């Protein structure tokens, strides 16, 4: 068994009276592709925000690569090697594809704050490599706003790669793209995970994608983790059958 990269221990989060995360504990082994599923409002996004400390847990602990990171500033967590993929709205729409990745890379390399203008060749090799990995090298001078939706998702991933993540967290990476492109994106993520030695934790709605690309699946319901298992095991889970697969299918 490989070392766990992530240990989530008894996480709880209340929003007022709403118990959005209920005593959630799970472990992600190094190199795994782990899916989190659950209906709308089950607490998937909240759980990811707790892990990356964009939301503070009411109680519980997050251990990343053996270090307790509960309460650590989100940018420090990124520097430790845990990156949540930027959502499309976070792209700098007026900048080029290249500049979007360059900014992320500079942020990662920054030792001290500087107002000096950045030369466009700064960190160029690393930026181009991130773009090459997602297949955007030929579009690096295009303005981000004019990319197709699928290419914007690729750019999201390139920006995340610029942070050198060991654990990459994605909230519905293939949402809003056509089925074929969704599969291509998931295959890209899987190949990158192998190539860059990354562990993947992703939220996904589409069960075909989950069953095809996850090594292990965890199921959230009303804020609680009700099951974890292989795709085969989760396919046969009574709740999953009823909630996702129309019930009665074996
Ligand atoms: P999912 O991603 O599974 O759809 P969320 O984690 O977004 O679910 O939401 C879980 C529950 O927590 C929902 O009932 C949602 O309305 C509530 N919630 C999420 N964020 C907040 C917030 N910042 N303030 C109040 N309630 C929230
Ligand atoms: Mg969500």
């Amino acid at each position: 068994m490989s070392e766990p990269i992530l240990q989530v221990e008894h996480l709880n989060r209340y929003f007022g009276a709403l118990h959005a995360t209920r005593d959630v504990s799970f472990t992600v082994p190094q190199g795994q592709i782990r899916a989190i599923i659950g209906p709308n409002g089950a607490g998937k996004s909240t759980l990811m925000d707790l892990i990356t400390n964009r939301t503070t847990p009411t109680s519980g602990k997050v251990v990343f690569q053996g270090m307790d990171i509960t309460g650590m500033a989100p940018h420090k967590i990124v520097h430790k090697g845990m990156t949540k993929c930027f959502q499309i709205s976070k792209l700098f729409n007026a900048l080029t594809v290249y500049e979007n990745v360059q900014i992320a890379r500079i942020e990662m390399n920054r030792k001290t704050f500087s107002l000096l203008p950045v030369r466009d060749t700064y960190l160029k090799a690393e930026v181009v490599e991130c773009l090459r990995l997602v297949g955007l090298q030929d579009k690096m001078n295009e303005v981000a706003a004019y990319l197709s939706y699928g290419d914007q998702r690729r750019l999201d991933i390139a920006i995340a790669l610029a942070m050198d993540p060991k654990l990459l967290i994605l909230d519905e990476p293939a949402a809003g793209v056509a089925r074929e492109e969704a599969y291509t994106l998931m295959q890209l993520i899987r190949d990158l995970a192998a190539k860059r030695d990354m562990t993947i934790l992703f939220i996904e709605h589409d069960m075909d994608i989950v069953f095809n690309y996850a090594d292990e699946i965890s199921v959230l319901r009303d804020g609680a983790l009700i099951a974890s298992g292989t795709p085969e095991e989760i396919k046969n889970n009574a709740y999953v059958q009823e909630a996702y697969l129309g019930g009665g299918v074996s």
Side-chain angles (χ1 to χ4, degrees):
M1 276 297 284
S2 49
E3 277 285 289
I5 190 165
L6 180 71
Q7 294 155 268
V8 171
E9 297 174 15
H10 303 292
L11 270 189
N12 282 283
R13 171 70 203 199
Y14 286 87
F15 292 113
L18 177 75
H19 201 172
T21 306
R22 294 172 186 258
D23 197 35
V24 170
S25 298
F26 66 100
T27 294
V28 181
Q30 192 99 41
Q32 191 180 63
I33 299 185
R34 168 75 67 98
I36 306 279
I37 65 169
N40 268 337
K44 304 179 297 296
S45 296
T46 301
L47 179 59
M48 297 305 126
D49 287 346
L50 293 173
I51 291 170
T52 54
N53 201 31
R54 282 173 179 80
T55 298
T56 310
T58 306
S59 64
K61 198 158 112 174
V62 180
V63 178
F64 177 58
Q65 294 185 312
M67 176 188 283
D68 186 346
I69 60 160
T70 325
M72 188 181 278
H75 73 275
K76 287 198 177 140
I77 294 177
V78 172
H79 277 261
K80 295 276 172 221
M82 184 197 294
T83 298
K84 182 162 181 280
C85 205
F86 277 65
Q87 291 300 320
I88 199 157
S89 57
K90 296 271 177 65
L91 293 176
F92 294 99
N93 277 313
L95 300 184
T96 65
V97 166
Y98 179 86
E99 288 162 341
N100 268 279
V101 177
Q102 190 189 31
I103 285 170
R105 190 70 206 164
I106 289 168
E107 202 52 50
M108 227 20 225
N109 276 265
R110 197 201 294 278
K111 301 274 187 297
T112 53
F113 184 73
S114 163
L115 285 172
L116 290 176
V118 170
R119 287 190 328 227
D120 63 355
T121 52
Y122 186 55
L123 299 170
K124 184 165 185 178
E126 294 161 47
V127 173
V128 171
E129 173 63 6
C130 291
L131 290 170
R132 194 188 61 74
L133 283 165
V134 302
L136 281 179
Q137 70 275 27
D138 295 336
K139 296 183 179 167
M140 59 184 184
N141 295 317
E142 291 186 18
V143 173
Y146 299 135
L147 290 178
S148 70
Y149 196 75
D151 279 345
Q152 290 190 356
R153 303 322 300 245
R154 282 167 198 273
L155 181 51
D156 288 338
I157 296 168
I159 289 168
L161 289 178
M163 317 280 190
D164 276 336
K166 284 285 152 209
L167 173 64
L168 181 61
I169 298 178
L170 305 124
D171 195 339
E172 299 198 43
V177 302
R179 171 146 294 253
E180 214 165 297
E181 174 73 358
Y183 275 85
T184 309
L185 277 170
M186 287 310 301
Q187 188 59 49
L188 171 71
I189 290 164
R190 191 145 93 174
D191 293 345
L192 286 170
K195 230 182 267 178
R196 303 270 290 208
D197 194 22
M198 284 189 304
T199 306
I200 306 288
L201 180 60
F202 75 108
I203 295 174
E204 185 52 62
H205 248 86
D206 184 318
M207 286 301 111
D208 278 344
I209 287 184
V210 169
F211 289 137
N212 272 295
Y213 290 99
D215 298 320
E216 188 171 349
I217 301 164
S218 296
V219 187
L220 272 182
R221 179 187 191 179
D222 296 331
L225 200 78
I226 58 161
S228 281
T230 63
E232 236 9 80
E233 287 164 347
I234 295 302
K235 257 181 218 172
N236 291 314
N237 176 280
Y239 170 70
V240 171
Q241 291 240 337
E242 196 186 311
Y244 288 98
L245 306 173
V249 190
S250 64

